């Protein structure tokens, strides 16, 4: 499985961004998918996850502002980020969970994209 994330950039606080992640793999529709982020000097942290059944999970820090979705036909996963805050600044990674657990653990995800930088200025 290969993943390619895109859509990051520099925005002002309160603005929105939509991240995209293109995935390979013949059984994409059966994967669990997640977004994580890592800020300088911090550990990688969970942002959002979606199972094959479209069940979503969010970190408390982004709940109500970020929304994860998937398009199985296009083998894409998206992260719509609204009302961005400076503390959302990080490299954002998409990841695949072959067991479709939809959980928040980094170790549950077997494949990772290269990351896309999101910078939110105040």
């Amino acid at each position: 499985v290969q993943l390619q994330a895109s859509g990051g950039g520099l925005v002002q606080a309160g603005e929105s961004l939509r991240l995209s992640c293109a995935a390979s793999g013949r059984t994409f529709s059966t994967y669990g998918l997640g977004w994580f982020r890592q800020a300088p000097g911090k550990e990688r942290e969970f942002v959002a996850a979606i199972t094959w059944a479209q069940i979503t999970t969010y970190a408390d820090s982004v709940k109500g502002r970020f929304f994860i979705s998937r398009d199985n036909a296009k083998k894409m996963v998206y992260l719509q980020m609204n009302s961005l805050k400076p503390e959302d600044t990080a490299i954002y990674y998409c990841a695949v969970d072959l067991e479709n657990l939809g959980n928040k653990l980094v170790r549950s995800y077997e494949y990772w994209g290269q990351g896309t930088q999101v910078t939110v200025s105040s």
Side-chain angles (χ1 to χ4, degrees):
V1 178
Q2 293 184 323
L3 300 164
Q4 181 73 39
S6 61
L10 172 62
V11 297
Q12 293 187 334
E15 295 185 339
S16 299
L17 274 177
R18 187 195 195 204
L19 304 184
S20 300
C21 179
S24 65
R26 291 187 296 175
T27 56
F28 176 86
S29 62
T30 67
Y31 301 160
L33 301 164
W35 286 96
F36 290 76
R37 66 187 181 186
Q38 188 165 16
K42 295 187 177 181
E43 293 188 352
R44 191 167 298 189
E45 67 174 6
F46 171 78
V47 175
I50 186 167
T51 68
W52 68 268
Q54 307 282 353
I55 297 171
T56 57
T57 307
Y58 295 95
D60 288 343
S61 59
V62 306
K63 202 169 293 183
R65 299 189 298 123
F66 290 14
F67 300 93
I68 188 171
S69 61
R70 65 189 295 165
D71 184 331
N72 289 335
K74 295 181 179 179
K75 298 184 180 180
M76 297 288 293
V77 58
Y78 305 100
L79 185 68
Q80 178 65 43
M81 306 186 295
N82 301 326
S83 302
L84 282 161
K85 304 176 181 180
E87 51 263 44
D88 295 319
T89 295
I91 298 174
Y92 282 71
Y93 299 89
C94 54
V96 163
D97 161 23
L98 295 177
E99 295 187 15
N100 192 41
L101 299 175
N103 68 30
K104 305 179 180 182
L105 301 176
V106 170
R107 64 175 181 265
S108 294
Y109 292 79
E110 293 88 354
Y111 296 95
W112 294 82
Q114 86 291 358
T116 184
Q117 176 72 47
V118 173
T119 303
V120 184
S121 64
S122 58

